[in-house]
Amino acid sequence: MITLYDLVFQDDRRPSPFCWRAKYALSHKGLKWVEEPMGFTEKQKIAFAGSQTVPVIKDGAKSVKDSWAIALHLDQAHPDKPLFESEAARILARFVGNWVDTAVHVAVFPLIVGDLYDRVRPVDQAYFRESRGPRLGTTDFSAFQAKAREKGLAAFQATLEPARRLLKEQLFLAGGRPGYPDYALAGAFLWARITSPVVLLETDDPVHAWRERMLDLFDGMGRRAKAA
Amino acid sequence: MITLYDLVFQDDRRPSPFCWRAKYALSHKGLKWVEEPMGFTEKQKIAFAGSQTVPVIKDGAKSVKDSWAIALHLDQAHPDKPLFESEAARILARFVGNWVDTAVHVAVFPLIVGDLYDRVRPVDQAYFRESRGPRLGTTDFSAFQAKAREKGLAAFQATLEPARRLLKEQLFLAGGRPGYPDYALAGAFLWARITSPVVLLETDDPVHAWRERMLDLFDGMGRRAKAA
């Protein structure tokens, strides 16, 4: 039995982009799991794994922290339906994940930070304010977000260009079928979808059509998640 | 016999990052080639290939334009020592190349544009000014470069983060041995090295150590190229 510790916002919303990578990885492999919701101020729930952040999984007796380590663990412990069929596939997933972490997330965050704050559980808002405020140089997240959106949407869309060019040539970042690179980028869009009404993509953007395909995967797992 | 049409600057310098991809691809496959230098204002030399830009190759009776099409052609026409051993390897190369084109080159160009202009062949300077000026909103490339460097080096180094994280885990972007993803990024650094004395990387950056390995490849092909 696999338990996934998953970040929870108000109304049982589950926006963590890294937890979404774990959910897609589990789904890809046809594995079942149960979710244990955890708010920002409930880190004692994952102390057993030596982690300060989710996702964490308990897979039988074994605990694994960090979305990438979870993906590698799943392929090792459950060899069927591999996430990574070759070294090149693993490196592609890692590079795309690195790019999402350091370019896409960085471009999305200012566009949704006010909405994130508004949807954090009230008991977690002080934590959010004190951890994110110093990073942004303000705790007026709503004003920060409004200003970021003025000029930020075009910059965000430009950031996606490496993926956009690939998606003009193939259905998924992993090739003809979805794979971990797709799950990594999909997590960024679900983070926004679940917490913010902001419109990130034009409908004629190839990334938009890809996102629709991703929302449909695994019986509409992403589409069914409670959105903003 | 393979002929590579290669962009030429003053003093026979060969800075084109896309031509470097072709040179590394040819070297990877152990193929010999002869180079035909072409200045910005000598596009009639590659008109036979229906191209406005280099690299172009003539491989026997066949002409191929565009560095990516050249890489695919080389694997098809010369199957030994493949550049792409699997679909995933090809996609990794394509995605990294897309990222270099749309993020790394975009971050490097403002940092070297004054030096590029100074090293273009005098006969090509008007072309450079008229094609690049409107894009930058100025033809004072030296002043533009100076201003870009004031704040641009940290931003450029941040852009490299997806590659840096991978290079903390493995010797080359392609894995344990160099491959096309490495050649794509190496081209960006050779473009700068050959035209500009700007110092782009700190010596303790994992990307710096990787760049040294790349300069050593194929009997120091990159290191031996005439630098600024």
Side-chain angles (χ1 to χ4, degrees):
Chain A
M1 156 139 137
I2 298 174
T3 303
L4 170 67
Y5 291 79
D6 189 22
L7 188 67
V8 66
F9 275 33
Q10 281 174 32
D11 305 325
D12 203 32
R13 283 196 171 79
R14 309 294 181 89
S16 164
F18 298 106
C19 291
W20 278 103
R21 291 186 197 180
K23 290 174 214 173
Y24 275 109
L26 287 160
S27 300
H28 179 105
K29 296 185 70 67
L31 296 168
K32 305 263 180 233
W33 71 95
V34 295
E35 292 176 5
E36 178 65 36
M38 184 204 89
F40 279 121
T41 53
E42 297 177 304
K43 291 184 192 288
Q44 75 281 3
K45 284 193 182 179
I46 51 171
F48 73 90
S51 186
Q52 290 282 312
T53 56
V54 285
V56 159
I57 65 164
K58 259 196 92 169
D59 184 359
K62 190 170 171 67
S63 62
V64 188
K65 61 179 177 178
D66 176 80
S67 57
W68 182 246
I70 289 170
L72 297 176
H73 161 79
L74 291 178
D75 261 9
Q76 189 173 41
H78 311 274
D80 269 7
K81 302 182 189 165
L83 287 160
F84 312 119
E85 302 204 39
S86 66
E87 185 197 17
R90 183 182 51 71
I91 296 172
L92 172 63
R94 186 61 159 157
F95 186 82
V96 171
N98 288 347
W99 168 74
V100 172
D101 296 350
T102 63
V104 181
H105 284 179
V106 169
V108 169
F109 181 67
L111 303 174
I112 63 171
V113 63
D115 294 331
L116 282 169
Y117 181 67
D118 290 343
R119 286 166 179 83
V120 166
R121 298 187 314 172
V123 69
D124 296 326
Q125 283 189 318
Y127 172 89
F128 189 94
R129 213 165 43 236
E130 285 154 27
S131 59
R132 273 59 174 174
R135 205 192 294 173
L136 300 183
T138 178
T139 53
D140 187 347
F141 299 124
S142 176
F144 189 91
Q145 170 183 285
K147 197 163 170 205
R149 286 185 192 176
E150 274 175 32
K151 50 180 183 180
L153 274 173
F156 166 71
Q157 291 170 0
T159 299
L160 296 173
E161 191 63 18
R164 182 176 297 115
R165 291 188 180 189
L166 203 54
L167 294 170
K168 288 178 182 171
E169 298 172 343
Q170 55 192 52
L171 278 173
F172 295 98
L173 298 177
R177 289 178 304 166
Y180 200 85
D182 299 280
Y183 309 149
L185 184 57
F189 283 106
L190 282 162
W191 184 32
R193 175 183 170 91
I194 290 166
T195 56
S196 173
V198 69
V199 175
L200 291 174
L201 298 172
E202 312 292 332
T203 53
D204 61 353
D205 187 336
V207 183
H208 187 283
W210 164 86
R211 190 181 58 181
E212 292 296 306
R213 291 193 286 279
M214 293 306 296
L215 288 170
D216 288 338
L217 277 188
F218 307 124
D219 296 320
M221 177 172 71
R223 201 181 291 284
R224 283 185 287 107
K226 192 177 286 182
Chain B
M1 154 138 138
I2 298 173
T3 302
L4 169 67
Y5 291 80
D6 189 22
L7 188 67
V8 65
F9 274 33
Q10 282 173 32
D11 305 323
D12 204 32
R13 283 194 171 79
R14 309 295 182 88
S16 163
F18 298 106
C19 291
W20 277 104
R21 291 187 197 181
K23 289 174 215 173
Y24 275 109
L26 287 159
S27 300
H28 179 106
K29 297 185 70 67
L31 296 168
K32 304 263 180 234
W33 72 95
V34 295
E35 291 175 6
E36 178 65 37
M38 186 204 87
F40 279 122
T41 54
E42 297 177 305
K43 291 184 191 287
Q44 75 280 2
K45 284 193 183 179
I46 51 171
F48 73 91
S51 185
Q52 291 282 312
T53 54
V54 285
V56 159
I57 65 165
K58 258 196 91 168
D59 185 358
K62 191 171 171 63
S63 61
V64 187
K65 61 179 177 178
D66 177 82
S67 56
W68 182 246
I70 289 170
L72 298 176
H73 161 80
L74 291 178
D75 261 9
Q76 189 173 42
H78 310 275
D80 269 7
K81 303 181 189 165
L83 287 160
F84 312 118
E85 303 204 38
S86 65
E87 186 197 16
R90 184 181 51 71
I91 296 172
L92 172 64
R94 186 60 159 158
F95 186 82
V96 172
N98 289 347
W99 168 73
V100 173
D101 295 351
T102 63
V104 181
H105 284 179
V106 169
V108 169
F109 181 67
L111 303 174
I112 63 171
V113 63
D115 294 330
L116 281 169
Y117 181 68
D118 290 344
R119 286 168 179 81
V120 166
R121 297 186 316 171
V123 69
D124 295 327
Q125 284 189 319
Y127 171 89
F128 189 93
R129 212 164 45 237
E130 285 154 27
S131 59
R132 272 59 175 176
R135 205 193 293 173
L136 300 184
T138 178
T139 53
D140 188 347
F141 300 123
S142 175
F144 188 91
Q145 171 183 284
K147 197 164 170 202
R149 286 184 192 176
E150 273 174 34
K151 51 179 181 179
L153 274 173
F156 166 72
Q157 291 169 1
T159 300
L160 296 172
E161 192 61 19
R164 183 175 296 114
R165 291 188 180 189
L166 202 54
L167 293 170
K168 288 176 181 170
E169 298 172 345
Q170 55 191 52
L171 279 173
F172 295 98
L173 298 177
R177 288 178 305 163
Y180 201 84
D182 300 279
Y183 309 149
L185 184 57
F189 282 107
L190 282 162
W191 185 32
R193 175 183 171 91
I194 289 166
T195 57
S196 173
V198 69
V199 175
L200 292 174
L201 298 173
E202 312 292 331
T203 53
D204 61 353
D205 187 335
V207 183
H208 186 283
W210 164 86
R211 189 180 60 180
E212 291 296 306
R213 291 192 287 278
M214 294 306 295
L215 288 170
D216 288 338
L217 277 188
F218 308 124
D219 296 320
M221 177 172 72
R223 201 181 291 284
R224 284 185 286 108
K226 192 177 287 180

